[in-house]
Amino acid sequence: GAEQREKQYRAHRGFGDRRGGVISARTYFYADEAKCDQHMETFLRCIDASGGSSENGFSAIKLTALGRPQFLLQFSEVLVKWRRFFHQMAAEQGQAGRAALEMKLEAEKLQEALANLGIATKAESQHWFTGENRGMSGTVDLLDWNSLIDSRTKLSKLLLVPNMQTGQLEPLLSRFTEEEDLQMKRMLQRMDVLAKRATEKGVRLMVDAEQSYFQPAISRLTLEMQRRFNRDRAIIFNTYQCYLKEAYDNVTVDVELSRREGWHFGTKLVRGAYMEQERERAAQIGYEDPINPTYEKTNEMYHRCLDYILEEIKHSRKANVMVASHNEDTVKFTLRRMKELGIHPLEKKVCFGQLLGMCDHITFPLGE
């Protein structure tokens, strides 16, 4: 029931106006499906304009403009609970505190745990882990675990989340009305239309990051578009907010997935635009502040994530990054690491994005 939901992923009337404390990011509110269609048409015109004015241009979209944000809130709750369920089982196998990709559950112990919780018989869960490469090593990592949602999710009908009190997998979105189910499908259809137009026009489509309680769903839906459209080159770019404590884990998990599945990883790295609102909401509602405690910690996180992606570019040439920073030290850091790693600017694997009036004044010697 609603009373059992994670506090961060509940709708709260006091924070219904998401503009509070936000002065640097566009906020969309759901009016009706016709308004979402208007937003899609606007985005399509932007894609056309970008494709007609430059080669390999960019266009940015927000998913809260394309559908009902309540769906993003509920889907984020599913994804977070599913991931925390994995971490809880990892802790029971003595792996608490490890990095996300270093946690590897022993498949047999996992199957026993699922059987003891009444979630699935050993025979049923054994079938879950017999897909291509999934659990073949005798262990199950976070990507294997996440793929269970892939194979079990058919929009609202099969979207399941574990209830730790009952030990059962429950269909979270079954409470959606028929109209709400249609709203969810229309959001996915609008995303598909935009991604196809971007591919046709040779435009790279950036999906903006938004508030942390929407972001798990936004990232997951963006990842699904990347799987489909980033086979030959990076068309769809996800956005990672490096003021979030979990930013590095999110980047490394998604890069590893792109490696395993063979598509091009595309990302925009930002520090973040919702800090004051996020902290106020966490304090008032009573959940852990998702933001790094200091500016210095956020800088460290940004450079750590950026360096990981630059290393991936060096090794695979199948990653692309937009350094969306107004910080002079970050730009200099990027240029230095590109030189050290042998990443030439003409490869167009690294690009820089600043907003006029927000960037620091930067000068470099000729040729640098």
Side-chain angles (χ1 to χ4, degrees):
E3 70 278 5
Q4 296 174 353
R5 291 186 179 181
E6 298 288 341
K7 292 180 179 180
Q8 186 173 356
Y9 300 97
R10 292 178 184 161
H12 289 269
R13 186 176 298 276
F15 292 90
D17 187 342
R18 302 192 306 279
R19 293 170 296 188
V22 180
I23 60 173
S24 58
R26 178 74 164 87
T27 300
Y28 289 91
F29 295 94
Y30 181 79
D32 52 38
E33 293 299 293
K35 191 65 175 177
C36 293
D37 285 336
Q38 290 178 18
H39 292 152
M40 182 186 72
E41 292 298 328
T42 299
F43 291 154
L44 286 171
R45 290 196 296 273
C46 291
I47 292 170
D48 291 344
S50 181
S53 62
S54 63
E55 185 180 348
N56 295 319
F58 280 100
S59 191
I61 64 171
K62 284 201 170 192
L63 293 199
T64 51
L66 297 175
R68 186 169 172 262
Q70 182 68 14
F71 161 62
L72 297 174
L73 198 66
Q74 288 182 273
F75 191 26
S76 290
E77 180 187 10
V78 174
L79 296 171
V80 169
K81 281 188 174 181
W82 191 255
R83 187 163 178 165
R84 286 181 181 171
F85 192 42
F86 175 86
H87 283 286
Q88 179 172 333
M89 290 187 290
E92 291 176 358
Q93 291 194 17
Q95 299 187 45
R98 291 189 183 182
L101 283 177
E102 293 176 2
M103 292 182 178
K104 298 185 186 298
L105 305 181
E106 293 182 33
E108 285 195 15
K109 288 185 178 179
L110 172 59
Q111 289 160 11
E112 290 174 6
L114 294 174
N116 291 337
L117 287 168
I119 291 174
T121 66
K122 201 165 183 181
E124 288 173 332
S125 61
Q126 200 168 22
H127 176 69
W128 293 357
F129 298 104
T130 55
E132 54 181 88
N133 300 325
R134 190 191 299 158
M136 296 297 286
S137 64
T139 61
V140 176
D141 65 12
L142 183 59
L143 292 178
D144 296 325
W145 181 247
N146 285 343
S147 70
L148 291 180
I149 279 194
D150 296 339
S151 61
R152 299 174 69 83
T153 297
K154 298 296 179 186
L155 294 178
S156 63
K157 293 182 181 177
L158 296 177
L159 192 55
L160 305 175
V161 63
N163 182 325
M164 293 302 291
Q165 293 183 334
T166 65
Q168 298 295 316
L169 286 174
E170 299 176 348
L172 182 75
L173 298 186
S174 62
R175 293 187 299 275
F176 269 28
T177 65
E178 184 178 349
E179 175 56 29
E180 288 171 332
D181 192 52
L182 288 173
Q183 290 170 359
M184 177 168 57
K185 291 175 181 176
R186 290 183 191 123
M187 175 189 278
L188 300 176
Q189 289 167 353
R190 292 179 187 112
M191 293 170 62
D192 187 66
V193 168
L194 293 171
K196 287 178 178 176
R197 181 69 66 87
T199 302
E200 292 168 5
K201 298 292 183 178
V203 172
R204 292 169 286 182
L205 192 64
M206 297 183 298
V207 180
D208 277 351
E210 304 193 48
Q211 285 88 349
S212 64
Y213 42 94
F214 294 138
Q215 195 54 43
I218 292 172
S219 289
R220 184 53 175 259
L221 295 175
T222 303
L223 185 147
E224 294 304 322
M225 288 200 294
Q226 289 179 312
R227 282 171 149 168
R228 291 179 56 201
F229 294 96
N230 285 11
R231 287 296 169 183
D232 299 321
R233 60 189 289 257
I235 291 288
I236 309 299
F237 279 57
N238 202 357
T239 302
Y240 296 87
Q241 300 157 302
C242 294
Y243 67 3
L244 294 178
K245 296 173 182 176
E246 61 182 19
Y248 183 76
D249 276 350
N250 292 339
V251 168
T252 56
V253 167
D254 290 353
V255 167
E256 176 61 23
L257 183 65
S258 72
R259 289 181 193 137
R260 293 187 188 183
E261 297 183 346
W263 43 269
H264 290 251
F265 180 79
T267 180
K268 178 176 71 170
L269 284 185
V270 302
R271 281 173 170 79
Y274 306 98
M275 183 175 72
E276 291 182 15
Q277 185 190 87
E278 291 277 12
R279 285 188 164 157
E280 182 183 358
R281 190 176 188 273
Q284 287 194 26
I285 296 173
Y287 58 88
E288 181 185 352
D289 183 355
I291 307 295
N292 284 317
T294 65
Y295 175 75
E296 290 72 24
K297 287 293 183 183
T298 292
N299 280 347
E300 289 176 17
M301 181 68 79
Y302 194 103
H303 288 185
R304 187 184 184 197
C305 292
L306 175 57
D307 201 52
Y308 188 87
I309 297 166
L310 293 174
E311 289 280 356
E312 182 66 15
I313 293 173
K314 173 189 175 182
H315 293 298
S316 75
R317 288 318 198 252
K318 294 185 76 171
N320 298 256
V321 61
M322 169 178 273
V323 183
S325 172
H326 318 298
N327 185 285
E328 180 176 350
D329 290 337
T330 294
V331 176
K332 288 181 175 179
F333 170 85
T334 308
L335 294 173
R336 185 182 74 250
R337 291 296 289 142
M338 287 175 66
K339 188 173 183 178
E340 292 169 353
L341 296 171
I343 302 171
H344 197 280
L346 291 180
E347 291 182 74
K348 298 181 180 179
K349 297 293 184 182
V350 181
C351 55
F352 297 84
Q354 288 87 25
L355 298 178
L356 185 63
M358 293 182 70
C359 57
D360 298 332
H361 179 69
I362 303 174
T363 56
F364 296 110
L366 187 64
E368 188 175 352

